[in-house]
Amino acid sequence: MAGGHLKHRHLGVKSSHRQALLRNLVSSLFEHESITTTWPKAKEAQRVAEKLITLGKRNTNAAKNAAQAAFFEPQKFMPRLFGALRERYLDRPGGYTRVLRIESHKEDQAPSAILQLVDGPKDMRFAMTAKTLVRERASETGVRELTAKNVVKVTKFRPGGKEELERMVKTFEEREVDGERRETGVIREQVYPRRYNPN
């Protein structure tokens, strides 16, 4: 079918390899909450992850059987999918994952991205919003309208989100001293000794 609309990205591999690749990416996502890969792979893995989390929210025998077929190690990931992730996203109507473009990490300059679960401990947008709040509260103009909208976005479906955001803001405020970052508990020392230069 030349010139037809593609239903998915082929990723330059055959069907069985593509399926195994996506299953591995989704397993890594559920295990680590955040993964870095190429942008096309992240977008395809996002589709699979969203469908699996929707199955986890249904919590029926048919949903469990369908989800079990998607994992190479179901005994490792099924309790997490139908336990912690189901509870986290029970009230959220969709959008359980986020893809953030980053600069390329590969030698061939392939477009890279971070795929992460939202409202988790490694939610990057949550931390970025907290840092922005610290900077804007210290400025004369105050908190901008866009930042206020982002605060609503990142706290809307997260249980205790506003309190957690304020704790993170206080943590970032404590780390700032006279506009410079302070690394708590880290002693700065030279890794390599300076060479003696008599001139």
Side-chain angles (χ1 to χ4, degrees):
M1 195 169 105
H5 179 69
L6 293 178
K7 291 186 178 178
H8 56 262
R9 295 169 181 87
H10 294 280
L11 304 176
V13 293
K14 59 184 182 179
S15 175
S16 59
H17 187 175
R18 179 184 178 278
Q19 187 177 9
L21 172 76
L22 294 177
R23 288 167 74 179
N24 279 327
L25 284 173
V26 171
S27 297
S28 295
L29 175 65
F30 286 165
E31 184 176 359
H32 302 291
E33 300 262 339
S34 177
I35 58 172
T36 303
T37 182
T38 62
W39 186 78
K41 288 178 186 174
K43 291 299 283 183
E44 286 301 305
Q46 181 183 29
R47 292 172 63 181
V48 177
E50 298 264 348
K51 288 176 184 175
L52 283 173
I53 293 172
T54 302
L55 289 175
K57 285 174 64 175
R58 286 185 193 154
N59 200 21
T60 61
N61 285 334
K64 287 180 180 177
N65 290 336
Q68 190 170 8
F71 293 119
F72 285 122
E73 298 176 278
Q75 69 280 3
K76 184 176 179 182
F77 297 108
M78 291 289 285
R80 180 160 172 71
L81 178 62
F82 287 92
L85 293 179
R86 179 179 182 274
E87 294 299 321
R88 184 192 300 175
Y89 298 124
L90 205 54
D91 296 329
R92 183 179 276 272
Y96 316 114
T97 58
R98 178 182 298 127
V99 176
L100 301 170
R101 280 184 183 263
I102 57 174
E103 61 184 55
S104 179
H105 285 293
K106 293 184 170 285
E107 294 176 2
D108 61 356
Q109 297 301 311
S112 299
I114 296 173
L115 174 62
Q116 60 183 198
L117 296 173
V118 299
D119 295 341
K122 295 184 179 179
D123 191 353
M124 194 176 295
R125 182 169 285 174
F126 193 78
M128 287 168 52
T129 304
K131 285 184 181 180
T132 306
L133 277 174
V134 170
R135 188 178 66 246
E136 290 183 0
R137 285 178 181 174
S139 70
E140 297 174 0
T141 57
V143 178
R144 296 182 305 158
E145 183 181 349
L146 181 64
T147 307
K149 286 182 181 177
N150 283 339
V151 168
V152 172
K153 276 185 184 179
V154 298
T155 58
K156 186 174 182 180
F157 294 107
R158 182 186 283 247
K162 291 184 179 177
E163 296 82 12
E164 193 175 341
L165 184 68
E166 287 302 320
R167 278 197 302 272
M168 190 174 280
V169 166
K170 286 180 183 175
T171 303
F172 286 137
E173 285 173 348
E174 291 169 1
R175 290 184 183 175
E176 291 207 0
V177 177
D178 298 328
E180 294 180 1
R181 287 265 177 236
R182 180 185 69 197
E183 297 178 11
T184 56
V186 177
I187 300 171
R188 292 183 172 208
E189 57 184 26
Q190 286 186 331
V191 178
Y192 300 108
R194 289 186 181 173
R195 294 186 182 192
Y196 176 70
N197 189 0
N199 294 333

